[in-house]
Amino acid sequence: NRRLAFLNRREERSSSGQGSQILSGSVGDRPCSGVPLLIHRLFSPVQRPPTLTEALVSLIALVVGIGVSIVVYGLDPQIPMLLGVIVASLVALRCGYRWDDIQEGMVRGIHNALPALIILMVVGVLIGVWIQAGVVPTLISYGLKLLSPTIFLPAAVVICAISSLATGSSWGTSGTLGVALMGIGGSLGIPLPLVAGAVLSGAYFGDKMSPLSDTTNLAPAMAGTDLFTHIKHMSYTTGVSIGLTLVIEMALSLYYSGTSGGLERVEVMQQTLAAHYVINPVLLLPPLLVLFVSYKRLPAIPGITLGVIAGGLCALGMQGADYAELMQVAFGGVTSDTGVEAVDSLLSRGGLNSMF
């Protein structure tokens, strides 16, 4: 409609003798040439949706810029993303948008992402406090107790899912517990591709369903919903997927069932966790509290903050941490030094600073 109105106005100007000046590249008594004429021809005088070609230019500029920077030069993606924003802004100007409109869109996008950024900062504090309180070590220790040669593959799925749920990191789980489980599965005679599939299935399920995961927090922020509603609706499809996975892994595990050999690594991890942390069922209360408040649909920020407070009380009361130590891990995270690489890699994380 705006385009038709513009054409009608141009036709009226043409009938009054002004149209020939516009079409010939002149306005009023002044000829329009050079850069002004180029700008007049490149940029639409009225706002309009971008064409498919214009939209693809913005997308390709962003993808190619990030891809070349990361793959070819090994650089960070931030500046190429900024260049992509510049290209998108030029396309928007060509479509007739004023700079004020473009800037307003940028500010609106940042505003939509702010709740997720706040959640991520609180999550960083939560992870550090929960590790110091022994909550994460307790979850991992109890998960490792599920491991049995006769149900190795489904147990690997559940253990990796628990670890990712507790840490919010699928890569961290795959690179630590996953490596240990690969070695155990190989010693039991189970084909390594099957073990890798079980590890990745559990790790990514836990990551997607964890309120501590960065992508799980960012996705609802961009979609315009809240964290726990997002997790609830993901469970409808993800729950079916993990259920089918467990059935398949159970059948495969019965077929490839082996002896109890190869579980020494798991025993070492359990002993290490027990030597450095108090492992107690009481430490399951903070994550249960977070699950309860999410069920009651309490907003994510106060709900996760309650988990931080509960974890802090557990750290002070059960792990013997003092106030200064608790504040330090809340900001800088935990640097584990147990002497067991798999445990240290899994527990060295968290803190507000890790989210910047």
Side-chain angles (χ1 to χ4, degrees):
N1 292 334
R2 289 194 298 267
R3 183 65 176 173
L4 289 174
F6 167 73
L7 293 175
N8 290 333
R9 288 196 302 269
R10 189 172 70 175
E11 185 176 352
E12 292 173 0
R13 291 172 183 169
S14 177
S15 62
S16 63
Q18 297 177 1
S20 59
Q21 294 179 339
I22 295 176
L23 295 176
S24 63
S26 61
V27 178
D29 297 331
R30 294 173 299 173
C32 183
S33 61
V35 174
L37 178 58
L38 179 63
I39 294 175
H40 176 76
R41 290 179 176 176
L42 285 179
F43 299 105
S44 173
V46 293
Q47 291 184 7
R48 60 173 177 80
T51 64
L52 176 61
T53 302
E54 291 168 340
L56 288 176
V57 166
S58 299
L59 178 62
I60 292 173
L62 178 64
V63 172
V64 171
I66 294 177
V68 170
S69 298
I70 295 177
V71 176
V72 178
Y73 297 102
L75 303 175
D76 293 328
Q78 285 80 6
I79 299 303
M81 291 175 65
L82 179 60
L83 296 177
V85 170
I86 294 174
V87 174
S89 299
L90 292 174
V91 171
L93 290 172
R94 175 177 170 78
C95 294
Y97 288 89
R98 300 175 303 155
W99 172 250
D100 290 342
D101 300 325
I102 299 172
Q103 180 173 298
E104 181 182 353
M106 295 179 181
V107 172
R108 186 166 58 249
I110 295 173
H111 177 267
N112 292 337
L114 279 178
L117 296 179
I118 297 174
I119 291 173
L120 288 176
M121 289 190 289
V122 180
V123 163
V125 176
L126 179 72
I127 294 173
V129 171
W130 275 15
I131 293 175
Q132 185 66 30
V135 174
V136 174
T138 296
L139 288 171
I140 296 173
S141 179
Y142 286 164
L144 291 174
K145 289 182 179 180
L146 298 175
L147 204 59
S148 170
T150 56
I151 56 168
F152 176 82
L153 291 175
V157 174
V158 173
I159 291 169
C160 291
I162 292 174
S163 177
S164 290
L165 278 168
T167 61
S169 172
S170 57
W171 287 11
T173 297
S174 301
T176 53
L177 278 177
V179 173
L181 291 172
M182 290 287 287
I184 297 169
S187 65
L188 294 176
I190 302 175
L192 293 183
L194 296 181
V195 182
V199 168
L200 293 177
S201 297
Y204 280 104
F205 168 79
D207 182 25
K208 294 300 102 182
M209 301 302 293
S210 174
L212 312 183
S213 173
D214 50 0
T215 54
T216 306
N217 280 278
L218 287 174
M222 295 297 98
T225 185
D226 62 272
L227 172 63
F228 295 122
T229 300
H230 172 61
I231 294 176
K232 174 185 175 181
H233 286 277
M234 278 201 305
S235 66
Y236 298 149
T237 53
T238 311
V240 174
S241 300
I242 197 67
L244 292 175
T245 300
L246 288 173
V247 171
I248 295 172
E249 299 290 3
M250 177 65 74
L252 291 172
S253 189
L254 293 175
Y255 181 79
Y256 288 104
S257 60
T259 64
S260 59
L263 298 179
E264 294 82 5
R265 296 185 185 183
V266 174
E267 294 175 358
V268 169
M269 293 183 69
Q270 288 179 309
Q271 293 171 1
T272 303
L273 292 172
H276 291 81
Y277 295 94
V278 175
I279 306 298
N280 193 294
V282 175
L283 296 173
L284 299 177
L285 291 178
L288 290 176
L289 175 62
V290 173
L291 291 176
F292 175 76
V293 297
S294 66
Y295 173 75
K296 290 297 184 179
R297 302 186 64 84
L298 189 70
I301 294 176
I304 297 174
T305 302
L306 286 176
V308 173
I309 296 173
L313 294 175
C314 291
L316 295 173
M318 301 194 66
Q319 303 296 340
D322 56 27
Y323 177 80
E325 186 177 3
L326 190 61
M327 293 300 104
Q328 182 178 359
V329 298
F331 177 76
V334 175
T335 302
S336 180
D337 187 20
T338 63
V340 178
E341 183 179 357
V343 175
D344 292 338
S345 298
L346 197 58
L347 298 183
S348 294
R349 62 184 66 249
L352 177 63
N353 194 41
S354 66
M355 296 297 176
F356 291 155

